[in-house]
Amino acid sequence: MKRTKIVDLFRTPELVGKEVSVMGWVRTRRGNKHVQFVALNDGSTIKNVQIVFDLEKFSDEQLKPVTTGSSIHVTGLLVESMGKGQSVEIQAQTLEVFGTADPDTYPLQKKGHTLEFLREKAHLRPRTNTFGAVLRIRSALAFAIHKFFQEKGFFYLHTPLITASDCEGAGAMFQVTTLNLNDLPRTEDGSVDYSADFFGKSTALTVSGQLEGELGATALGAIYTFGPTFRAENSNTPRHLAEFWMIEPEMAFYDITDNMDLAEEFVKYCIRYALDHCRDDIEFLQQMYDPDLISRLKGVLAEDFVRLSYTDGVKILEESGHKFEFPVYWGADLQSEHERYLVEHHFKRPVILTDYPKDIKAFYMKQNEDGKTVRAMDVLFPKIGEIIGGSEREADFDKLNTRIEELDIPMKDMWWYLDTRRFGSVPHSGFGLGFERLVLFVTGMTNIRDVIPFPRTPNNAEF
Ligand code: 4AD
Ligand code: MG
């Protein structure tokens, strides 16, 4: 169908004075008995185009189905607008109604809705200004991520979603099975007989593509993944999802410093890309939700991230005199209140914390000489806390193998991973960026459920 997107009406001066054809969903209709004004949105931009219906040309009867939420096709003359805040409007010549939306049952009437209400209407919320803006920004960020890595010569590697290994070792995996749960096959000792399952072994949805990413990096040099990951942690927080998207670059011949440099350059690139390409949407969100949004985004771009060891970070927290909900001491896994204290109060800019105690980090991280810490790095952001987690990887076969044994990780699941250290092992590093945490930061939204179209959280898999 031939139509002009609304976004193009506003950025193509040559269209003024021409006949245009637009299609979209009605946001509002108002007016008097001589003229009616319809605000039309087609999702291409936060902006609505105003359509002017002269009631000498259109009857009440014709306009009656044009209510909030209905979908219409209008042709008319594009003219410069007198009204404040809009550069062009359309003088309607023809009207076709595609689909009506009963005002008594369509849930998104023009009054402002709470984000909680809209979560219950997640199937329709993309039609609101807020979610239109968030989803356009999300799309732009996804493109920026591919652009960044492709321009650097990284290869996009597709790692499996169904796996038999637990990368993070946290055991928070969703099992995948075709066994009949009401009639499970058993082995002689009474445990479930997974040899009878679809894959002939116990499988789950992946928590991370990193282990396969390392196979890619130690062949192609530098790869990135970008796909869904799954965690069955029962953490009902504004920063956790059971299904989230992660970007995991993995690079051969990178040490921890190279890794930090890349992580910093990468997030800054994404934020700058959004500021350059999503200005209208970001300005809208700033105005609606977060007056400091743009200055916070620019603030992150302006300065180098602080780089600090976990040990020094804990010292600052201990000496701060601040009363935290969770105790802080060397060895403690930092909570987001601790991370945010360092970033928002102490340094007032993003912090990369390194060299964490080995007992709170995954098995694959490079062990430091002190025998106590590993070459981990977490990037901590204002409002978010941890946005990136990564490390230099243990490249030494014996050290890695010993760690796997110490942690009782079943070797039969890990033989292929260990081959990267058995054959042509190289120093290498990587990290994972939680995509929704980046979208949270860039949009200024405060709940991760509001930056993914259909959130998956404990007790919620609607839509
Ligand atoms: O720190 P994490 O667990 O690290 C890994 O999975 C490594 N394999 C990454 C790597 O080195 N390749 O997760 C990485 C990031 C976190 O920093 C956070 O931003 C995000 O993923 N994340 C979550 N985002 C939303 N919901 C959850 N439940 C998340 N868990 C982690
Ligand atoms: Mg982490």
Side-chain angles (χ1 to χ4, degrees), residues 166-219:
D166 180 359
C167 173
E168 292 305 299
M173 302 181 87
F174 289 101
Q175 244 189 293
V176 172
T177 181
T178 53
L179 294 178
N180 177 356
L181 298 184
N182 294 311
D183 184 16
L184 289 169
R186 301 280 175 181
T187 59
E188 268 166 25
D189 69 3
S191 53
V192 175
D193 181 9
Y194 285 107
S195 70
D197 202 350
F198 188 91
F199 297 105
K201 54 162 86 171
S202 167
T203 53
L205 294 177
T206 190
V207 296
S208 159
Q210 178 195 322
L211 302 185
E212 292 88 355
E214 288 184 52
L215 302 178
T218 54

Side-chain angles (χ1 to χ4, degrees), residues 136-337:
R136 280 185 296 271
I137 292 170
R138 187 179 163 106
S139 168
L141 285 170
F143 181 72
I145 286 162
H146 283 293
K147 192 161 143 53
F148 177 83
F149 285 119
Q150 293 287 333
E151 285 173 1
K152 279 198 172 306
F154 283 52
F155 300 102
Y156 183 25
L157 185 75
H158 297 101
T159 51
L161 299 189
I162 299 177
T163 175
S165 48
D166 180 359
C167 173
E168 292 305 299
M173 302 181 87
F174 289 101
Q175 244 189 293
V176 172
T177 181
T178 53
L179 294 178
N180 177 356
L181 298 184
N182 294 311
D183 184 16
L184 289 169
R186 301 280 175 181
T187 59
E188 268 166 25
D189 69 3
S191 53
V192 175
D193 181 9
Y194 285 107
S195 70
D197 202 350
F198 188 91
F199 297 105
K201 54 162 86 171
S202 167
T203 53
L205 294 177
T206 190
V207 296
S208 159
Q210 178 195 322
L211 302 185
E212 292 88 355
E214 288 184 52
L215 302 178
T218 54
L220 301 169
I223 62 89
Y224 67 105
T225 71
F226 187 175
T229 46
F230 307 87
R231 300 212 179 166
E233 336 164 65
N234 202 354
S235 29
N236 239 320
T237 80
R239 277 176 296 277
H240 287 87
L241 290 164
E243 176 180 297
F244 66 99
W245 288 63
M246 185 152 57
I247 299 94
E248 295 186 275
E250 190 72 34
M251 299 74 63
F253 320 115
Y254 265 54
D255 64 17
I256 186 84
T257 307
D258 303 322
N259 205 27
M260 288 192 277
D261 291 344
L262 182 74
E264 179 165 347
E265 185 189 348
F266 171 52
V267 274
K268 283 180 169 171
Y269 178 92
C270 294
I271 293 165
R272 192 173 301 113
Y273 187 91
L275 277 170
D276 290 346
H277 294 84
C278 308
R279 200 54 185 227
D280 290 349
D281 288 322
I282 292 176
E283 277 171 5
F284 170 80
L285 294 170
Q286 162 159 292
Q287 192 190 328
M288 290 295 292
Y289 299 101
D290 184 353
D292 301 325
L293 179 58
I294 293 175
S295 69
R296 192 177 324 111
L297 298 181
K298 288 187 169 165
V300 164
L301 298 183
E303 287 183 288
D304 291 343
F305 296 179
V306 174
R307 298 179 183 193
L308 185 77
S309 73
Y310 167 93
T311 302
D312 289 343
V314 166
K315 211 174 286 161
I316 291 171
L317 293 168
E318 283 174 331
E319 287 166 6
S320 70
H322 187 85
K323 219 170 147 26
F324 295 107
E325 190 187 334
F326 293 91
V328 58
Y329 53 91
W330 199 95
D333 206 353
L334 297 185
Q335 304 292 324
S336 97
E337 57 169 342

Side-chain angles (χ1 to χ4, degrees), residues 8 15 41 53 78 127 188 293 298 308 321 357 393 401:
D8 292 322
L15 287 175
N41 190 282
F53 288 93
L78 189 71
R127 295 192 192 180
E188 268 166 25
L293 179 58
K298 288 187 169 165
L308 185 77
R393 316 307 188 190
N401 199 25

Side-chain angles (χ1 to χ4, degrees), residues 115-116 119 237-239 289-290 296 340 383-384 439-441 443-451:
L115 295 170
E116 289 78 12
R119 254 170 247 153
T237 80
R239 277 176 296 277
Y289 299 101
D290 184 353
R296 192 177 324 111
R340 291 181 57 179
K383 293 264 183 185
I384 306 291
V439 184
L440 264 182
F441 183 72
T443 58
M445 303 300 281
T446 51
N447 193 316
I448 201 162
R449 292 165 182 77
D450 297 332
V451 296

Side-chain angles (χ1 to χ4, degrees), residues 337-386:
E337 57 169 342
H338 306 131
E339 298 169 340
R340 291 181 57 179
Y341 183 89
L342 290 174
V343 172
E344 291 166 27
H345 297 280
H346 192 83
F347 291 109
K348 301 192 175 16
R349 55 190 161 125
V351 173
I352 309 183
L353 221 51
T354 59
D355 301 293
Y356 282 69
K358 68 171 194 244
D359 290 333
I360 58 169
K361 288 292 180 189
F363 73 94
Y364 50 70
M365 296 189 181
K366 184 177 170 68
Q367 297 162 33
N368 284 322
E369 316 257 91
D370 62 12
K372 292 189 303 192
T373 59
V374 286
R375 214 154 283 178
M377 55 165 233
D378 277 10
V379 180
L380 313 179
F381 255 46
K383 293 264 183 185
I384 306 291
E386 178 189 340

